[in-house]
Amino acid sequence: MDRKKVIKLFSGFLAVMLIFTILSRAVSGASMARVETVKIATGPIEHKVTASGRVEAGKEIAMYTESGQRVREICVQEGESVEEGDVLFRLDLEELNEQITAAQQELEKAKLQNQDVQNAKAFEQSNQQTAKQRAQEDYNQAVAQGDASVAEAKRVWDEAERALQDFLNSSTDAGNGGADVQNGGTDILDPNGGQSGGNDDGDKADGNSGGADEQSSGEGPGCPDGQSAEGNAGGTDNLSAQDGQAGANGTDDREAQKASLEQAVAEAKAAYDAAVSARADNIKSTSRSLADASRPQSAADTAQKQNEITRQQQELALNKLLSLQEAEGEVKATASGIITQILVSTGDFTSEGAAVRIADTAQGGRLVLSVDKMNEEYVSKGSPVKLKVSGSKEEITDYTVTSIAENEQDNTLLDVTVELPQGVIETGTLVNAEITPKTETYNSVVPLQALHEEQNGCYVLVLQEEQGVLGTQLVVKRLDVQVVDKNNTNAALEEGLLTSEQEIVSSASRSIQEGSRVRRKES
């Protein structure tokens, strides 16, 4: 085969291969998913909370009147504007006059009852003073009589003691004298050389006042037959039996007299002790009576105070009725505003609660929004609020949340309040609100559709160029990320996981996964 033919065949082969390559890339490109990509952005993640509510009066005034008054005429309607001093309703004057008469009678009755209590108290105080005076007299008398009785008993006791002491002293003197007579002025010596008979040291003789009963001898007592004892010194007279008998009789008399005096002393002391005890008992009894008579009677004071309180309350109630009578039964508005509620009915009696409620328009208004408690973390005091009156496209801005509280009727809701100045929105108007809480700015924000979630976490798909047989191709790679915050449109990712140059797949024409070859969607 010649050279030209070989070159021609090779050229044909290359042409066929080129055609197949083009066809292959065309087929491969047609089968690839077309994707749209985004790059990370910087911005906030806003959590908008929508709610609606009606504008209420910023300050509501309750109008009251005396309870139990029959309503004759109502002069206003709910929603009506009133000025200070306008008549709200009128009371039945005939019924009012009857109640005034009854109140005056009750007040007079209370005054009479109070006077009766005062008179009874004065009478009781007089009796108490008399009883106290008598008790004081009884106490003084008990003290005086007790002192006299004790003094007299002490005097008798002292005299008995003195008589006994005098007797004992005289017995001692007589005993010493008798001993001197019997011994003839000479002491009787016992066989051991001791002295017997009278006592030289001046002690009492224990009843032997007439001298020694027994004569000292070498062996013991004196001789009964009157003979002299052994060892007596010469020159001493022997005692006769008659003298011994006389001494014994004298001793017995003195012992009896001593016992009598000692008994008198004991009786006198007992009488003194009894007088002291009686004096203490009498003083104790009379002092208790005096204390009882001096005790204040608090019951009468309490009754008087209670009656005085009742009288003051009745007088206050009467004055209120008289004020209504002076106003000819007309109840007037105390401030300008809008009637929000009428709580009385013609022909019925008033109650203790409010009769009419008035919205004070001079104080501005407030918008109370009911928000699901699930949004509690996105609503805070100071959060910006956009307002739009129902049926209008105009937005009212520059207002913020002023307070947040749990709804009293439903604990799954929050009452979000927005204070409004006077004249911004009329009371009772329905308003739609959008609350946007303050949030920080994030440096790695992607659209929510670019974020994929699974049980173990979140990830994004990024494009990466790879060199293949047919040239450079775009391949999808998975990259796990950490979500910091997100709303219903965007998600903020943890910084450092993505770069600003990486392309993140936000949408694809068909399902793709890691390793899928893709191509960019043509704009």
Side-chain angles (χ1 to χ4, degrees):
M1 183 178 295
D2 59 8
R3 183 186 179 104
K4 289 183 178 180
K5 191 174 181 178
V6 172
I7 294 174
K8 190 175 183 178
L9 289 174
F10 183 71
S11 297
F13 174 76
L14 291 178
V16 172
M17 290 298 294
L18 180 60
I19 293 172
F20 277 115
T21 300
I22 294 172
L23 291 175
S24 175
R25 294 193 67 174
V27 172
S28 176
S31 64
M32 288 182 187
R34 293 178 176 86
V35 298
E36 293 181 346
T37 61
V38 296
K39 295 182 179 181
I40 59 174
T42 299
I45 301 296
E46 295 182 345
H47 297 274
K48 296 180 180 180
V49 179
T50 59
S52 62
R54 291 189 180 275
V55 177
E56 302 175 356
K59 179 181 179 183
E60 194 172 57
I61 301 173
M63 300 297 302
Y64 297 89
T65 189
E66 294 304 302
S67 62
Q69 302 301 311
R70 190 188 300 275
V71 179
R72 181 169 62 87
E73 179 185 4
I74 297 177
C75 306
V76 294
Q77 295 179 350
E78 291 184 1
E80 180 181 347
S81 296
V82 295
E83 299 295 329
E84 182 179 354
D86 288 350
V87 178
L88 301 177
F89 57 93
R90 292 184 175 91
L91 302 175
D92 189 332
L93 289 178
E94 183 178 351
E95 178 72 27
L96 177 61
N97 292 333
E98 291 179 0
Q99 292 185 12
I100 289 175
T101 301
Q104 289 173 337
Q105 292 174 346
E106 289 296 324
L107 180 60
E108 185 64 25
K109 186 188 297 184
K111 291 180 179 178
L112 293 175
Q113 290 176 346
N114 204 22
Q115 186 61 44
D116 290 342
V117 171
Q118 290 179 354
N119 294 337
K121 181 182 178 182
F123 180 74
E124 185 176 359
Q125 288 177 344
S126 177
N127 290 341
Q128 182 183 5
Q129 186 63 29
T130 300
K132 181 179 179 181
Q133 183 177 356
R134 291 177 179 176
Q136 185 66 54
E137 292 174 355
D138 293 342
Y139 175 79
N140 295 339
Q141 185 177 2
V143 172
Q145 289 180 350
D147 291 345
S149 298
V150 171
E152 177 62 21
K154 185 66 168 62
R155 185 190 64 78
V156 173
W157 184 19
D158 290 342
E159 289 184 356
E161 286 279 7
R162 191 179 304 110
L164 176 60
Q165 190 60 39
D166 291 344
F167 172 77
L168 294 177
N169 292 339
S170 64
S171 297
T172 302
D173 294 341
N176 292 335
D180 291 341
V181 172
Q182 290 182 13
N183 295 329
T186 303
D187 291 335
I188 301 174
L189 301 178
D190 62 16
N192 297 323
Q195 297 178 351
S196 63
N199 294 326
D200 290 341
D201 57 1
D203 292 335
K204 288 188 287 187
D206 296 329
N208 299 324
S209 59
D213 290 338
E214 297 176 355
Q215 299 299 319
S216 176
S217 67
E219 297 179 357
C223 299
D225 55 358
Q227 293 181 357
S228 60
E230 291 183 6
N232 284 347
T236 302
D237 295 334
N238 295 327
L239 297 177
S240 64
Q242 183 176 357
D243 292 338
Q245 184 64 37
N249 291 336
T251 299
D252 292 340
D253 291 340
R254 284 190 296 275
E255 288 294 331
Q257 187 176 0
K258 177 183 176 184
S260 177
L261 292 173
E262 289 176 344
Q263 182 178 357
V265 170
E267 291 175 353
K269 182 180 183 304
Y272 172 79
D273 293 339
V276 171
S277 178
R279 176 184 179 277
D281 291 342
N282 290 337
I283 291 177
K284 181 178 180 180
S285 176
T286 54
S287 64
R288 286 180 176 176
S289 299
L290 178 60
D292 292 340
S294 302
R295 185 179 297 112
Q297 301 297 322
S298 58
D301 293 341
T302 301
Q304 184 178 2
K305 291 179 181 178
Q306 290 176 347
N307 285 343
E308 179 60 21
I309 292 173
T310 301
R311 186 197 66 76
Q312 292 176 359
Q313 292 174 342
Q314 291 175 342
E315 187 173 15
L316 180 61
L318 175 60
N319 290 336
K320 291 181 179 179
L321 295 177
L322 292 174
S323 297
L324 283 176
Q325 186 185 51
E326 185 178 354
E328 297 182 350
E330 294 181 345
V331 180
K332 300 179 180 180
T334 58
S336 300
I338 299 175
I339 303 297
T340 58
Q341 195 173 16
I342 298 175
L343 301 170
V344 294
S345 302
T346 302
D348 291 341
F349 288 92
T350 57
S351 63
E352 294 183 354
V356 177
R357 288 193 173 93
I358 301 176
D360 189 354
T361 55
Q363 301 295 325
R366 61 182 179 185
L367 175 63
V368 180
L369 306 168
S370 294
V371 176
D372 195 311
K373 206 170 186 178
M374 295 177 61
N375 295 316
E376 185 174 11
E377 62 177 312
Y378 305 128
V379 180
S380 60
K381 185 177 180 180
S383 296
V385 181
K386 294 180 181 180
L387 306 177
K388 187 181 292 185
V389 176
S390 181
S392 174
K393 295 182 179 180
E394 181 182 357
E395 283 189 348
I396 302 173
T397 58
D398 299 331
Y399 296 104
T400 59
V401 175
T402 54
S403 65
I404 302 172
E406 185 178 282
N407 188 283
E408 294 181 356
Q409 285 74 34
D410 188 350
N411 58 9
T412 64
L413 297 177
L414 296 175
D415 287 339
V416 179
T417 303
V418 180
E419 298 291 342
L420 301 174
Q422 179 185 0
V424 176
I425 304 176
E426 292 185 0
T427 302
T429 304
L430 180 63
V431 177
N432 296 319
E434 183 181 272
I435 304 171
T436 305
K438 297 178 181 179
T439 183
E440 63 178 294
T441 299
Y442 298 98
N443 295 322
S444 184
V445 179
V446 297
L448 196 62
Q449 63 265 26
L451 184 68
H452 303 273
E453 296 186 31
E454 60 183 14
Q455 186 175 2
N456 296 329
C458 299
Y459 66 92
V460 294
L461 297 175
V462 297
L463 295 185
Q464 184 174 331
E465 291 184 352
E466 289 185 356
Q467 191 67 33
V469 177
L470 300 178
T472 303
Q473 297 178 335
L474 294 176
V475 180
V476 173
K477 295 295 183 181
R478 169 176 169 155
L479 182 62
D480 292 331
V481 294
Q482 184 70 35
V483 177
V484 179
D485 194 7
K486 68 177 181 177
N487 55 18
N488 56 353
T489 57
N490 296 317
L493 307 180
E494 184 179 346
E495 294 185 29
L497 301 178
L498 294 170
T499 67
S500 59
E501 301 300 324
Q502 287 178 305
E503 295 183 81
I504 305 168
V505 176
S506 59
S507 66
S509 61
R510 65 183 64 177
S511 177
I512 59 176
Q513 58 186 0
E514 185 175 17
S516 297
R517 290 181 298 171
V518 298
R519 66 176 180 172
R520 294 184 182 89
K521 184 178 180 180
E522 298 177 359
S523 20

